Amino acid sequence: MDGIITSVQRMSVHDGPGIRSTIFMKGCNLRCRWCHNPETFSFAPELEWIKTKCIGCQACLEVCQTGALRLTNGNISFNKGECTACFDCIPECYPEALHKIGRRVTPESLFSEIEQDFPFFEESGGGITISGGEPMLQKLFVISILKLFRTGGIHTALDTNLSIPWKHYEQLLPYTSLIMADLKAMDNELHEKWTGGGNSTIIRNIRNLDESGIPYFIRTPVIPGFNDSEKEFRDIAGLLSTLRNMKQFDLLPYHPLGNWKYVNLGVKNLLEGVSSPTSIDLQRYASILEEYGINYQIN
Ligand code: SF4
Ligand code: SF4
């Protein structure tokens, strides 16, 4: 049993309680316009070209048969649409501007890789978080990881977009200590337009989660032009106010810090030029949540 991941981020303090090692799975069924991890969109390994490390030596041009790496107006450019992911260019690039994203791993190899972090987990009340991408698209692999770590006494969190039918989640709940899920918008049409998928399964699953008895957090990204209207916030707060067992609700203000990843991957960034919500905006959303009696934190 193996699966594909982009990376393991160690010492994370934003992916659940305590200090955590976060495993980022590759592949996602949604395409949220604000995603900070576009390298997880595709299941396939892909090439990353770090423009800021490229010294323009042109060594890669001699091996790239497709013209994906080429000279444009005297400068090197990367044209993702023409890249066949042969990765022949990587060894030619001594400044390490070219990288392969995506590696196949087994639950056991992940356990060995992360084992050195266990003392930090114990000290801080942390553990592992499986994120992505959408982990549920590699469900059997994810179940194996969760089982292995839980058997080893490690806290396990699953970060999911909650868009997969509930029966699949039921299979991994026994091995999951915490679920973290997004509630992005209540308006189905808006949700579909900005994420590539509707929200009816997500909303149904939030209710299932509430009845399941498993600890869970809900997070709402605050995205200018998407869900930052008073109506959306009232509708979100309305749903949250009916939940009985939610442990934590987080507002996650959009920030453009991950935009460089779109450049490196040659993926179009649909939110280019969009700024973070202001503190006045956030205060406005916070007041709506308070009106509905929702405890929140802004991360
Ligand atoms: S990985 Fe892409 S850019 Fe690199 S040599 Fe192969 S086709 Fe060209
Ligand atoms: S080999 Fe590396 S540094 Fe040289 S031009 Fe290609 S990407 Fe840039």
Side-chain angles (χ1 to χ4, degrees), residues 49 53-61 69 76 89 92-98:
W49 172 59
K53 282 193 173 181
C54 175
I55 58 168
C57 69
Q58 303 187 19
C60 54
L61 304 190
L69 283 161
I76 301 290
C89 51
E92 305 303 318
C93 181
Y94 77 86
E96 300 185 343
L98 298 168

Tab-separated table of all heavy atoms in Angstrom, residues 49 53-61 69 76 89 92-98, ligand 2:
chain	number	residue	atom	x	y	z
A	49	TRP	N	9.603	25.104	-11.178
A	49	TRP	CA	10.740	25.936	-11.606
A	49	TRP	C	10.772	27.176	-10.717
A	49	TRP	O	9.844	27.995	-10.750
A	49	TRP	CB	10.583	26.345	-13.070
A	49	TRP	CG	11.590	27.339	-13.537
A	49	TRP	CD1	12.940	27.194	-13.545
A	49	TRP	CD2	11.330	28.643	-14.079
A	49	TRP	NE1	13.549	28.316	-14.052
A	49	TRP	CE2	12.581	29.219	-14.400
A	49	TRP	CE3	10.179	29.380	-14.338
A	49	TRP	CZ2	12.702	30.503	-14.939
A	49	TRP	CZ3	10.295	30.646	-14.883
A	49	TRP	CH2	11.547	31.201	-15.186
A	53	LYS	N	15.705	31.293	-8.294
A	53	LYS	CA	16.982	30.563	-8.180
A	53	LYS	C	17.649	30.378	-9.538
A	53	LYS	O	18.786	29.926	-9.623
A	53	LYS	CB	16.742	29.181	-7.566
A	53	LYS	CG	16.545	29.185	-6.064
A	53	LYS	CD	16.633	27.758	-5.574
A	53	LYS	CE	16.621	27.649	-4.081
A	53	LYS	NZ	16.723	26.243	-3.666
A	54	CYS	N	16.898	30.638	-10.604
A	54	CYS	CA	17.410	30.383	-11.959
A	54	CYS	C	18.440	31.451	-12.332
A	54	CYS	O	18.163	32.645	-12.251
A	54	CYS	CB	16.251	30.384	-12.947
A	54	CYS	SG	16.793	30.227	-14.663
A	55	ILE	N	19.637	30.979	-12.730
A	55	ILE	CA	20.693	31.935	-13.091
A	55	ILE	C	20.798	32.107	-14.614
A	55	ILE	O	21.706	32.772	-15.107
A	55	ILE	CB	22.064	31.503	-12.516
A	55	ILE	CG1	22.419	30.099	-13.025
A	55	ILE	CG2	22.058	31.550	-10.989
A	55	ILE	CD1	23.860	29.702	-12.760
A	56	GLY	N	19.888	31.435	-15.348
A	56	GLY	CA	19.861	31.605	-16.803
A	56	GLY	C	21.001	30.919	-17.529
A	56	GLY	O	21.372	31.321	-18.633
A	57	CYS	N	21.580	29.851	-16.949
A	57	CYS	CA	22.742	29.186	-17.558
A	57	CYS	C	22.373	28.412	-18.833
A	57	CYS	O	23.251	28.044	-19.605
A	57	CYS	CB	23.386	28.247	-16.551
A	57	CYS	SG	22.360	26.813	-16.159
A	58	GLN	N	21.122	28.115	-19.017
A	58	GLN	CA	20.576	27.442	-20.209
A	58	GLN	C	20.923	25.949	-20.305
A	58	GLN	O	20.671	25.323	-21.336
A	58	GLN	CB	20.987	28.157	-21.502
A	58	GLN	CG	20.559	29.611	-21.521
A	58	GLN	CD	20.796	30.283	-22.855
A	58	GLN	OE1	20.952	29.643	-23.882
A	58	GLN	NE2	20.803	31.612	-22.856
A	59	ALA	N	21.508	25.367	-19.244
A	59	ALA	CA	21.863	23.941	-19.297
A	59	ALA	C	20.621	23.075	-19.507
A	59	ALA	O	20.670	22.049	-20.190
A	59	ALA	CB	22.573	23.543	-18.000
A	60	CYS	N	19.516	23.476	-18.948
A	60	CYS	CA	18.278	22.681	-19.063
A	60	CYS	C	17.749	22.664	-20.505
A	60	CYS	O	17.107	21.699	-20.923
A	60	CYS	CB	17.209	23.206	-18.124
A	60	CYS	SG	16.885	24.972	-18.356
A	61	LEU	N	18.038	23.713	-21.268
A	61	LEU	CA	17.495	23.795	-22.631
A	61	LEU	C	18.041	22.691	-23.518
A	61	LEU	O	17.396	22.255	-24.460
A	61	LEU	CB	17.809	25.167	-23.254
A	61	LEU	CG	17.338	26.405	-22.489
A	61	LEU	CD1	17.506	27.647	-23.342
A	61	LEU	CD2	15.883	26.269	-22.057
A	69	LEU	N	10.812	24.274	-21.209
A	69	LEU	CA	11.788	25.272	-20.748
A	69	LEU	C	12.391	25.885	-21.999
A	69	LEU	O	12.886	25.151	-22.871
A	69	LEU	CB	12.877	24.609	-19.892
A	69	LEU	CG	12.464	24.275	-18.459
A	69	LEU	CD1	13.382	23.237	-17.853
A	69	LEU	CD2	12.414	25.516	-17.572
A	76	ILE	N	14.884	32.751	-19.608
A	76	ILE	CA	14.324	31.401	-19.474
A	76	ILE	C	12.865	31.535	-19.045
A	76	ILE	O	12.523	32.343	-18.175
A	76	ILE	CB	15.094	30.600	-18.390
A	76	ILE	CG1	16.583	30.480	-18.733
A	76	ILE	CG2	14.463	29.231	-18.158
A	76	ILE	CD1	16.905	29.582	-19.907
A	89	CYS	N	15.565	17.407	-16.906
A	89	CYS	CA	16.229	18.699	-16.722
A	89	CYS	C	16.798	18.870	-15.300
A	89	CYS	O	17.723	19.656	-15.098
A	89	CYS	CB	15.239	19.831	-17.020
A	89	CYS	SG	13.686	19.656	-16.120
A	92	GLU	N	20.514	18.606	-14.561
A	92	GLU	CA	21.322	19.591	-15.278
A	92	GLU	C	21.403	20.930	-14.540
A	92	GLU	O	22.233	21.769	-14.869
A	92	GLU	CB	20.729	19.853	-16.679
A	92	GLU	CG	20.541	18.614	-17.525
A	92	GLU	CD	21.843	17.858	-17.704
A	92	GLU	OE1	22.875	18.506	-17.923
A	92	GLU	OE2	21.827	16.603	-17.594
A	93	CYS	N	20.526	21.128	-13.582
A	93	CYS	CA	20.368	22.454	-12.965
A	93	CYS	C	21.107	22.521	-11.631
A	93	CYS	O	20.553	22.173	-10.587
A	93	CYS	CB	18.869	22.733	-12.773
A	93	CYS	SG	18.566	24.355	-12.044
A	94	TYR	N	22.354	22.946	-11.661
A	94	TYR	CA	23.116	22.912	-10.396
A	94	TYR	C	22.655	23.947	-9.365
A	94	TYR	O	22.790	23.742	-8.167
A	94	TYR	CB	24.637	22.969	-10.640
A	94	TYR	CG	25.177	24.324	-10.988
A	94	TYR	CD1	25.524	25.221	-9.988
A	94	TYR	CD2	25.346	24.708	-12.312
A	94	TYR	CE1	26.017	26.475	-10.308
A	94	TYR	CE2	25.828	25.954	-12.626
A	94	TYR	CZ	26.152	26.843	-11.627
A	94	TYR	OH	26.625	28.085	-11.937
A	95	PRO	N	22.026	25.102	-9.756
A	95	PRO	CA	21.519	25.999	-8.698
A	95	PRO	C	20.230	25.489	-8.032
A	95	PRO	O	19.661	26.163	-7.179
A	95	PRO	CB	21.226	27.310	-9.446
A	95	PRO	CG	21.864	27.182	-10.774
A	95	PRO	CD	21.886	25.723	-11.084
A	96	GLU	N	19.780	24.290	-8.461
A	96	GLU	CA	18.583	23.660	-7.880
A	96	GLU	C	17.335	24.520	-8.027
A	96	GLU	O	16.555	24.684	-7.091
A	96	GLU	CB	18.836	23.262	-6.415
A	96	GLU	CG	19.984	22.282	-6.305
A	96	GLU	CD	20.214	21.751	-4.906
A	96	GLU	OE1	19.711	22.358	-3.950
A	96	GLU	OE2	20.907	20.732	-4.790
A	97	ALA	N	17.177	25.068	-9.232
A	97	ALA	CA	15.962	25.837	-9.524
A	97	ALA	C	14.828	24.919	-9.980
A	97	ALA	O	13.676	25.346	-10.046
A	97	ALA	CB	16.250	26.870	-10.612
A	98	LEU	N	15.172	23.666	-10.306
A	98	LEU	CA	14.162	22.721	-10.810
A	98	LEU	C	13.952	21.594	-9.800
A	98	LEU	O	14.936	21.006	-9.321
A	98	LEU	CB	14.623	22.151	-12.154
A	98	LEU	CG	14.784	23.194	-13.280
A	98	LEU	CD1	15.522	22.600	-14.463
A	98	LEU	CD2	13.426	23.741	-13.707
B	2	SF4	S1	19.507	24.820	-15.680
B	2	SF4	FE1	18.464	25.735	-13.917
B	2	SF4	S2	19.545	27.668	-13.567
B	2	SF4	FE2	20.136	27.000	-15.634
B	2	SF4	S3	18.632	28.022	-16.964
B	2	SF4	FE3	17.780	25.999	-16.496
B	2	SF4	S4	16.450	26.354	-14.715
B	2	SF4	FE4	17.800	28.133	-14.900
